[in-house]
Amino acid sequence: DPALEAALSTLLRIQRIPDPDGIVPPYTRQRMRDELELFRVWLVEGLVGHALTAAEGGMVERTWVSLIDNADGQHKVCVHRDYHCRNLLWGPDHVTRVVDFQDALRGPALYDLASLLRDCYVRFDEAEVARWRERYRTLAAEAGLFVEPDPVANHGAELGGELDDALAIDVA
């Protein structure tokens, strides 16, 4: 718990970095689309060797549009874009240090929180994810940051369902 608390505190410090001169580039809709396209090119076609049918391609496209619209509609902050355990160094002084900043952009406020709580190397159960998501929202409000509506309570669950459907493409 102390390490996650410190990671949230550090995340909020990153999100409060001002950028009045536009030094941190924006995470554009096109860049999001280009990165999502890697799923089709690298995984589905490249690794699995499957060409999407028109129906599968349409489902993937609808999912991507929903994901991009959701991300683009969020308040913009400095996002690390790789905010997970292997880039967070927890010191004996209980301070979180962060490495791997080269891909930072100005993007959706919930991006790094999702990276932290849906870490590909560490699994949290759903109750823990909900607890830490709510803790983030409390800390963000206390820090004076704009607090996004809870994506799960609003429409995150439907986006997750669309993503699950898209990832369940039959490649057998």
Side-chain angles (χ1 to χ4, degrees):
D1 278 6
L4 270 173
E5 186 76 25
L8 289 180
S9 177
T10 300
L11 173 59
L12 292 167
R13 287 181 57 207
I14 292 169
Q15 291 183 336
R16 288 192 312 260
I17 294 172
D19 189 29
D21 299 322
I23 294 169
V24 179
Y27 197 3
T28 64
R29 292 179 69 88
Q30 185 59 53
R31 182 149 186 179
M32 288 180 215
R33 175 167 287 287
D34 292 346
E35 291 177 356
L36 288 168
E37 183 68 15
L38 297 175
F39 165 75
R40 184 184 59 77
V41 173
W42 287 0
L43 179 68
V44 177
E45 293 174 2
L47 185 63
V48 178
H50 176 75
L52 296 177
T53 65
E56 292 166 342
M59 181 176 42
V60 167
E61 178 62 25
R62 287 186 304 278
T63 301
W64 288 353
V65 167
S66 292
L67 291 170
I68 292 169
D69 286 349
N70 177 279
D72 196 41
Q74 291 179 36
H75 182 71
K76 302 301 182 268
V77 297
C78 183
V79 291
H80 180 274
R81 295 194 39 214
D82 213 4
Y83 201 78
H84 60 75
C85 69
R86 294 208 176 163
N87 289 328
L88 304 177
L89 309 175
W90 172 246
D93 56 358
H94 296 230
V95 173
T96 300
R97 289 159 181 85
V98 184
V99 297
D100 193 20
F101 269 95
Q102 69 271 12
D103 293 324
L105 294 172
R106 196 129 195 101
L110 298 176
Y111 190 104
D112 285 338
L113 180 65
S115 291
L116 178 65
L117 298 180
R118 301 296 182 177
D119 192 314
C120 61
Y121 304 106
V122 177
R123 297 283 180 232
F124 299 106
D125 65 39
E126 290 305 310
E128 278 188 286
V129 169
R131 180 170 64 94
W132 286 110
R133 191 176 61 240
E134 189 55 35
R135 180 67 179 144
Y136 165 83
R137 293 170 53 73
T138 299
L139 292 172
E142 289 171 359
L145 287 171
F146 178 83
V147 179
E148 295 290 336
D150 189 326
V152 174
N154 293 310
H155 56 278
E158 72 191 40
L159 286 176
E162 290 174 12
L163 185 58
D164 288 346
D165 290 344
L167 294 175
I169 293 169
D170 182 10
V171 292

